[in-house]
Amino acid sequence: MTTCNQKFEELLSEYALAHFKGAENSENWALAQMTAQLADAERNEIEFTNAGGQIFEIRQNLTPHGGMVIFAVDVTDQKAFESDLIKAKADVEAASRAKSSFLANMSHEFRTPLHGIMGFSDLIRQNVEDEEVKEFVQQISDCSVHLLEIINTVLAYSRLEAGQHPFDSRELLDIDHLVEFCVKQVLPKAHERGIVILSEIDPRLM
């Protein structure tokens, strides 16, 4: 004996119209086909989209006495949400790739003039006699080197995100150089005020 509620009967009529074009006994044929497909489906579950665009998951549960219960769930909103998630994920991945490409390109653009600044700083330092000027030029050179290291780090990260370059974070931090650079940045002001700056690094950090 087969019984169904009104909602499932309406769905069965739509299924029959979609698959059997209103042929004689089409609903019986539709139920037989639906049952056969459910039996062959991996999770006893098939999907049907009606003429109005509603999406139904039709599922089957076997009963202890050899019968079966077939029911349908309207998953239109769920499918739309899943589609939006897939699109959002693709958009995020595309934005990430664009960001990595932008960072890589900009890093290269920054490095070219920096190399020029570093080179001319060395030339000036080698050709001036005034020690104070040499110190100023050295500061310019040190700042350029530090900025270049930052740019190289950004470039390394962008390559890592693009899966192009193995990355070891230990290569990014030279404690000795970092402390020396920081001290040099504050030395001029410290000298003006008669302040002596000393630095000491725990050997375990080296």
Side-chain angles (χ1 to χ4, degrees), residues 121 124-125 127-140:
S121 297
I124 294 172
R125 191 172 61 252
N127 290 279
V128 296
E129 301 296 333
D130 191 301
E131 291 300 323
E132 186 178 15
V133 174
K134 281 188 176 182
E135 178 62 26
F136 291 156
V137 175
Q138 183 63 52
Q139 291 288 331
I140 295 173

PDB file of all heavy atoms in Angstrom, residues 121 124-125 127-140:
ATOM      1  N   SER A 121      75.236  56.343  -1.559  1.00  0.00           N
ATOM      2  CA  SER A 121      75.644  56.598  -0.176  1.00  0.00           C
ATOM      3  C   SER A 121      77.065  56.104   0.066  1.00  0.00           C
ATOM      4  O   SER A 121      77.886  56.788   0.699  1.00  0.00           O
ATOM      5  CB  SER A 121      74.684  55.912   0.801  1.00  0.00           C
ATOM      6  OG  SER A 121      73.384  56.441   0.695  1.00  0.00           O
ATOM      7  N   ILE A 124      79.496  58.511  -1.667  1.00  0.00           N
ATOM      8  CA  ILE A 124      79.668  59.765  -0.925  1.00  0.00           C
ATOM      9  C   ILE A 124      80.537  59.541   0.309  1.00  0.00           C
ATOM     10  O   ILE A 124      81.445  60.329   0.608  1.00  0.00           O
ATOM     11  CB  ILE A 124      78.284  60.326  -0.517  1.00  0.00           C
ATOM     12  CG1 ILE A 124      77.491  60.743  -1.766  1.00  0.00           C
ATOM     13  CG2 ILE A 124      78.448  61.519   0.427  1.00  0.00           C
ATOM     14  CD1 ILE A 124      76.053  61.130  -1.476  1.00  0.00           C
ATOM     15  N   ARG A 125      80.271  58.461   1.017  1.00  0.00           N
ATOM     16  CA  ARG A 125      81.033  58.193   2.241  1.00  0.00           C
ATOM     17  C   ARG A 125      82.522  57.997   1.950  1.00  0.00           C
ATOM     18  O   ARG A 125      83.388  58.356   2.737  1.00  0.00           O
ATOM     19  CB  ARG A 125      80.454  56.959   2.937  1.00  0.00           C
ATOM     20  CG  ARG A 125      80.991  56.739   4.352  1.00  0.00           C
ATOM     21  CD  ARG A 125      80.269  55.635   5.101  1.00  0.00           C
ATOM     22  NE  ARG A 125      80.397  54.354   4.438  1.00  0.00           N
ATOM     23  CZ  ARG A 125      79.404  53.743   3.789  1.00  0.00           C
ATOM     24  NH1 ARG A 125      78.215  54.322   3.730  1.00  0.00           N
ATOM     25  NH2 ARG A 125      79.582  52.589   3.208  1.00  0.00           N
ATOM     26  N   ASN A 127      84.154  59.459  -0.412  1.00  0.00           N
ATOM     27  CA  ASN A 127      84.787  60.623  -1.022  1.00  0.00           C
ATOM     28  C   ASN A 127      84.640  61.919  -0.229  1.00  0.00           C
ATOM     29  O   ASN A 127      84.912  62.994  -0.750  1.00  0.00           O
ATOM     30  CB  ASN A 127      84.210  60.836  -2.436  1.00  0.00           C
ATOM     31  CG  ASN A 127      84.657  59.750  -3.407  1.00  0.00           C
ATOM     32  OD1 ASN A 127      85.755  59.799  -3.946  1.00  0.00           O
ATOM     33  ND2 ASN A 127      83.804  58.763  -3.616  1.00  0.00           N
ATOM     34  N   VAL A 128      84.197  61.830   1.019  1.00  0.00           N
ATOM     35  CA  VAL A 128      84.127  63.034   1.854  1.00  0.00           C
ATOM     36  C   VAL A 128      85.078  62.869   3.035  1.00  0.00           C
ATOM     37  O   VAL A 128      85.356  61.760   3.488  1.00  0.00           O
ATOM     38  CB  VAL A 128      82.691  63.277   2.370  1.00  0.00           C
ATOM     39  CG1 VAL A 128      81.739  63.561   1.218  1.00  0.00           C
ATOM     40  CG2 VAL A 128      82.186  62.123   3.208  1.00  0.00           C
ATOM     41  N   GLU A 129      85.602  64.005   3.502  1.00  0.00           N
ATOM     42  CA  GLU A 129      86.557  63.985   4.606  1.00  0.00           C
ATOM     43  C   GLU A 129      85.884  64.281   5.950  1.00  0.00           C
ATOM     44  O   GLU A 129      86.344  63.815   6.989  1.00  0.00           O
ATOM     45  CB  GLU A 129      87.662  65.024   4.346  1.00  0.00           C
ATOM     46  CG  GLU A 129      88.428  64.801   3.053  1.00  0.00           C
ATOM     47  CD  GLU A 129      89.204  63.496   3.076  1.00  0.00           C
ATOM     48  OE1 GLU A 129      89.573  63.035   4.186  1.00  0.00           O
ATOM     49  OE2 GLU A 129      89.420  62.920   1.990  1.00  0.00           O
ATOM     50  N   ASP A 130      84.841  65.051   5.913  1.00  0.00           N
ATOM     51  CA  ASP A 130      84.167  65.461   7.152  1.00  0.00           C
ATOM     52  C   ASP A 130      83.536  64.241   7.834  1.00  0.00           C
ATOM     53  O   ASP A 130      82.664  63.556   7.259  1.00  0.00           O
ATOM     54  CB  ASP A 130      83.092  66.496   6.822  1.00  0.00           C
ATOM     55  CG  ASP A 130      82.534  67.152   8.084  1.00  0.00           C
ATOM     56  OD1 ASP A 130      82.004  66.416   8.940  1.00  0.00           O
ATOM     57  OD2 ASP A 130      82.606  68.392   8.187  1.00  0.00           O
ATOM     58  N   GLU A 131      83.951  63.951   9.060  1.00  0.00           N
ATOM     59  CA  GLU A 131      83.473  62.770   9.779  1.00  0.00           C
ATOM     60  C   GLU A 131      81.985  62.867  10.095  1.00  0.00           C
ATOM     61  O   GLU A 131      81.267  61.853  10.115  1.00  0.00           O
ATOM     62  CB  GLU A 131      84.277  62.569  11.068  1.00  0.00           C
ATOM     63  CG  GLU A 131      85.712  62.170  10.832  1.00  0.00           C
ATOM     64  CD  GLU A 131      85.819  60.852  10.067  1.00  0.00           C
ATOM     65  OE1 GLU A 131      84.976  59.950  10.325  1.00  0.00           O
ATOM     66  OE2 GLU A 131      86.711  60.725   9.213  1.00  0.00           O
ATOM     67  N   GLU A 132      81.525  64.082  10.394  1.00  0.00           N
ATOM     68  CA  GLU A 132      80.103  64.231  10.702  1.00  0.00           C
ATOM     69  C   GLU A 132      79.247  63.928   9.483  1.00  0.00           C
ATOM     70  O   GLU A 132      78.208  63.247   9.580  1.00  0.00           O
ATOM     71  CB  GLU A 132      79.823  65.645  11.203  1.00  0.00           C
ATOM     72  CG  GLU A 132      78.389  65.824  11.682  1.00  0.00           C
ATOM     73  CD  GLU A 132      78.133  67.217  12.225  1.00  0.00           C
ATOM     74  OE1 GLU A 132      78.958  68.121  11.978  1.00  0.00           O
ATOM     75  OE2 GLU A 132      77.104  67.399  12.904  1.00  0.00           O
ATOM     76  N   VAL A 133      79.695  64.406   8.327  1.00  0.00           N
ATOM     77  CA  VAL A 133      78.970  64.108   7.088  1.00  0.00           C
ATOM     78  C   VAL A 133      78.992  62.614   6.815  1.00  0.00           C
ATOM     79  O   VAL A 133      77.988  62.020   6.403  1.00  0.00           O
ATOM     80  CB  VAL A 133      79.581  64.883   5.900  1.00  0.00           C
ATOM     81  CG1 VAL A 133      78.918  64.450   4.581  1.00  0.00           C
ATOM     82  CG2 VAL A 133      79.426  66.382   6.095  1.00  0.00           C
ATOM     83  N   LYS A 134      80.139  61.985   7.052  1.00  0.00           N
ATOM     84  CA  LYS A 134      80.232  60.537   6.862  1.00  0.00           C
ATOM     85  C   LYS A 134      79.221  59.794   7.740  1.00  0.00           C
ATOM     86  O   LYS A 134      78.607  58.817   7.324  1.00  0.00           O
ATOM     87  CB  LYS A 134      81.640  60.052   7.187  1.00  0.00           C
ATOM     88  CG  LYS A 134      82.656  60.277   6.093  1.00  0.00           C
ATOM     89  CD  LYS A 134      83.969  59.579   6.434  1.00  0.00           C
ATOM     90  CE  LYS A 134      84.957  59.710   5.291  1.00  0.00           C
ATOM     91  NZ  LYS A 134      86.230  58.998   5.579  1.00  0.00           N
ATOM     92  N   GLU A 135      79.065  60.297   8.975  1.00  0.00           N
ATOM     93  CA  GLU A 135      78.114  59.661   9.901  1.00  0.00           C
ATOM     94  C   GLU A 135      76.690  59.815   9.391  1.00  0.00           C
ATOM     95  O   GLU A 135      75.884  58.879   9.435  1.00  0.00           O
ATOM     96  CB  GLU A 135      78.253  60.275  11.293  1.00  0.00           C
ATOM     97  CG  GLU A 135      77.279  59.712  12.327  1.00  0.00           C
ATOM     98  CD  GLU A 135      77.476  58.222  12.580  1.00  0.00           C
ATOM     99  OE1 GLU A 135      78.607  57.721  12.371  1.00  0.00           O
ATOM    100  OE2 GLU A 135      76.497  57.563  12.986  1.00  0.00           O
ATOM    101  N   PHE A 136      76.379  61.014   8.867  1.00  0.00           N
ATOM    102  CA  PHE A 136      75.047  61.236   8.319  1.00  0.00           C
ATOM    103  C   PHE A 136      74.784  60.311   7.127  1.00  0.00           C
ATOM    104  O   PHE A 136      73.705  59.709   6.999  1.00  0.00           O
ATOM    105  CB  PHE A 136      74.885  62.689   7.876  1.00  0.00           C
ATOM    106  CG  PHE A 136      74.859  63.669   9.017  1.00  0.00           C
ATOM    107  CD1 PHE A 136      75.209  65.007   8.815  1.00  0.00           C
ATOM    108  CD2 PHE A 136      74.482  63.263  10.297  1.00  0.00           C
ATOM    109  CE1 PHE A 136      75.173  65.910   9.862  1.00  0.00           C
ATOM    110  CE2 PHE A 136      74.447  64.167  11.344  1.00  0.00           C
ATOM    111  CZ  PHE A 136      74.797  65.489  11.144  1.00  0.00           C
ATOM    112  N   VAL A 137      75.780  60.206   6.254  1.00  0.00           N
ATOM    113  CA  VAL A 137      75.635  59.349   5.081  1.00  0.00           C
ATOM    114  C   VAL A 137      75.498  57.893   5.503  1.00  0.00           C
ATOM    115  O   VAL A 137      74.735  57.117   4.912  1.00  0.00           O
ATOM    116  CB  VAL A 137      76.827  59.531   4.119  1.00  0.00           C
ATOM    117  CG1 VAL A 137      76.728  58.541   2.960  1.00  0.00           C
ATOM    118  CG2 VAL A 137      76.870  60.955   3.591  1.00  0.00           C
ATOM    119  N   GLN A 138      76.230  57.519   6.556  1.00  0.00           N
ATOM    120  CA  GLN A 138      76.129  56.153   7.068  1.00  0.00           C
ATOM    121  C   GLN A 138      74.715  55.867   7.568  1.00  0.00           C
ATOM    122  O   GLN A 138      74.173  54.773   7.382  1.00  0.00           O
ATOM    123  CB  GLN A 138      77.142  55.929   8.200  1.00  0.00           C
ATOM    124  CG  GLN A 138      77.162  54.506   8.748  1.00  0.00           C
ATOM    125  CD  GLN A 138      77.592  53.501   7.695  1.00  0.00           C
ATOM    126  OE1 GLN A 138      78.639  53.670   7.052  1.00  0.00           O
ATOM    127  NE2 GLN A 138      76.788  52.461   7.502  1.00  0.00           N
ATOM    128  N   GLN A 139      74.107  56.874   8.213  1.00  0.00           N
ATOM    129  CA  GLN A 139      72.728  56.723   8.676  1.00  0.00           C
ATOM    130  C   GLN A 139      71.778  56.490   7.491  1.00  0.00           C
ATOM    131  O   GLN A 139      70.875  55.639   7.559  1.00  0.00           O
ATOM    132  CB  GLN A 139      72.289  57.969   9.450  1.00  0.00           C
ATOM    133  CG  GLN A 139      72.988  58.154  10.785  1.00  0.00           C
ATOM    134  CD  GLN A 139      72.500  57.142  11.817  1.00  0.00           C
ATOM    135  OE1 GLN A 139      71.375  56.685  11.760  1.00  0.00           O
ATOM    136  NE2 GLN A 139      73.363  56.794  12.757  1.00  0.00           N
ATOM    137  N   ILE A 140      72.016  57.259   6.418  1.00  0.00           N
ATOM    138  CA  ILE A 140      71.203  57.067   5.210  1.00  0.00           C
ATOM    139  C   ILE A 140      71.368  55.648   4.681  1.00  0.00           C
ATOM    140  O   ILE A 140      70.392  54.969   4.341  1.00  0.00           O
ATOM    141  CB  ILE A 140      71.592  58.087   4.124  1.00  0.00           C
ATOM    142  CG1 ILE A 140      71.255  59.504   4.582  1.00  0.00           C
ATOM    143  CG2 ILE A 140      70.888  57.768   2.801  1.00  0.00           C
ATOM    144  CD1 ILE A 140      71.755  60.587   3.642  1.00  0.00           C
TER     145      ILE A 140
END
